[in-house]
Amino acid sequence: MIEHKMMWAGYCLQKEANSIKGGGNREIRFHALFVLLEHPQYGHILFDTGYGSYFYEATEVFPYSVYARVTPVFINEEDTAKSQLLKLGIKPEDVSYIIISHFHADHIGGLRDFPEAKFVCLESAYQAINKRTGIMALREGFLPKLLPDDFSDRVMFLREKTFSDEFCPFTYYYDVFGDKSILAFALSGHASGQIGILSGKRFFVADACYHSDAYRKMLPPPLMVRMLLGSNREYLRMLSILHAFYQKHPDIEIIPSHCNEVVRKYA
Ligand SMILES: [Zn+2]
């Protein structure tokens, strides 16, 4: 089993009611998770990066400025993944791979800080944002300036599916390094081609749900939010799959990227 460590880089403010059925009117923090995984052969690997300091630059001009206005974001240089890793003695160029759940700004905000990393994602996630600019990018929650210029040279797509009922109701997974240390699962719905990763007894599900209560009690965000961000039908289908997974695999901990219960437990 490989070691992993959860950390958070920045946060945004949103009404709780926008993120879960029955949520209150108060504003809550959505901390942006990234995970450091230590692979015996491939070294330091990240799952997402959280926000990065490029966010402000990327949202300076219209229409990208709309993103910053609708979603107030707070990120200091010292809170970025790069700075937090440096404090652990890990240099940016020593990060070998970054597994990208999806291309929203709170998941890819730090990509440009890691010049040697190869990027791993589903091709459908990349195609949904590739070459999109302006309103078309914004519709996908994507800020083009966050992507390194040489992204297309460094990306590797997950292609080979392993069909198995070991993690039912999922019917297949992607064995990222071919050694079963990190398994990726397709979690579409919130964003095209979103993936989560299972490592050891933790299943990082990105934004397939926002709160732990969402997969435990089947509490989706409101229809408006589901429609705005992805496919409503897919979102609900994926949430019911996660709910069934939770019931069938009580030994595996499901970790949504922005759940405050998880932050309180592990931060
Ligand atoms: Zn997202």
Side-chain angles (χ1 to χ4, degrees):
M1 201 165 83
I2 64 176
E3 297 273 315
H4 55 252
K5 180 176 170 60
M6 286 179 248
M7 290 173 273
W8 289 263
Y11 64 91
C12 71
L13 293 174
Q14 278 295 322
K15 261 193 191 151
E16 188 182 45
N18 286 342
S19 62
I20 189 164
K21 193 176 175 183
N25 246 341
R26 66 196 177 113
E27 284 201 320
I28 58 169
R29 288 183 180 192
F30 282 73
H31 295 274
L33 176 75
F34 69 98
V35 187
L36 170 67
L37 302 116
E38 299 291 354
H39 191 281
Q41 190 180 347
Y42 298 103
H44 310 299
I45 294 162
L46 295 181
F47 175 61
D48 290 339
T49 66
Y51 285 111
S53 43
Y54 304 104
F55 180 82
Y56 300 115
E57 183 193 326
T59 54
E60 255 169 17
V61 296
F62 184 81
Y64 309 113
S65 51
V66 174
Y67 192 126
R69 217 171 310 135
V70 174
T71 309
V73 167
F74 301 85
I75 175 79
N76 297 319
E77 185 58 47
E78 63 188 32
D79 295 330
T80 61
K82 175 188 173 180
S83 298
Q84 293 194 56
L85 293 181
L86 275 170
K87 275 183 214 146
L88 297 175
I90 300 168
K91 295 199 284 288
E93 54 272 27
D94 291 341
V95 170
S96 55
Y97 290 91
I98 301 176
I99 302 167
I100 298 169
S101 65
H102 64 299
F103 285 81
H104 288 164
D106 48 341
H107 297 258
I108 63 158
L111 292 187
R112 284 172 60 181
D113 284 331
F114 300 98
E116 299 296 327
K118 292 188 180 70
F119 305 117
V120 178
C121 66
L122 281 185
E123 187 167 12
S124 55
Y126 181 53
Q127 291 309 341
I129 55 94
N130 185 23
K131 298 195 174 79
R132 290 210 185 198
T133 57
I135 299 287
M136 294 304 282
L138 213 54
R139 274 184 56 92
E140 297 295 329
F142 173 60
L143 299 171
K145 273 200 174 176
L146 299 183
L147 222 54
D149 296 337
D150 58 354
F151 185 90
S152 60
D153 299 329
R154 292 158 63 191
V155 70
M156 302 164 62
F157 298 122
L158 295 166
R159 292 197 198 279
E160 203 179 314
K161 294 176 180 174
T162 303
F163 290 90
S164 161
D165 57 9
E166 189 181 348
F167 301 104
C168 70
F170 290 98
T171 54
Y172 67 90
Y173 56 77
Y174 301 90
D175 187 358
V176 180
F177 294 106
D179 57 4
K180 288 195 84 178
S181 61
I182 300 175
L183 306 181
F185 291 82
L187 301 175
S188 59
H190 166 78
S192 301
Q194 178 177 244
I195 53 169
I197 58 166
L198 177 68
S199 181
K201 291 292 179 191
R202 288 201 180 125
F203 188 12
F204 300 97
V205 297
D207 294 355
C209 60
Y210 290 122
H211 304 283
S212 298
D213 265 351
Y215 71 75
R216 287 189 200 119
K217 301 176 187 168
M218 283 290 293
L219 298 174
L223 176 66
M224 185 192 71
V225 173
R226 301 193 309 261
M227 301 277 284
L228 201 66
L229 285 173
S231 154
N232 173 43
R233 211 167 55 114
E234 265 302 285
Y235 192 104
L236 294 179
R237 190 182 73 86
M238 193 47 66
L239 189 61
S240 62
I241 287 176
L242 274 187
H243 179 66
F245 183 92
Y246 158 68
Q247 290 180 317
K248 284 182 199 299
H249 306 275
D251 56 324
I252 294 176
E253 189 177 13
I254 296 175
I255 309 275
S257 282
H258 308 299
C259 175
N260 282 324
E261 195 182 312
V262 174
V263 176
R264 282 193 294 274
K265 190 170 169 187
Y266 293 107

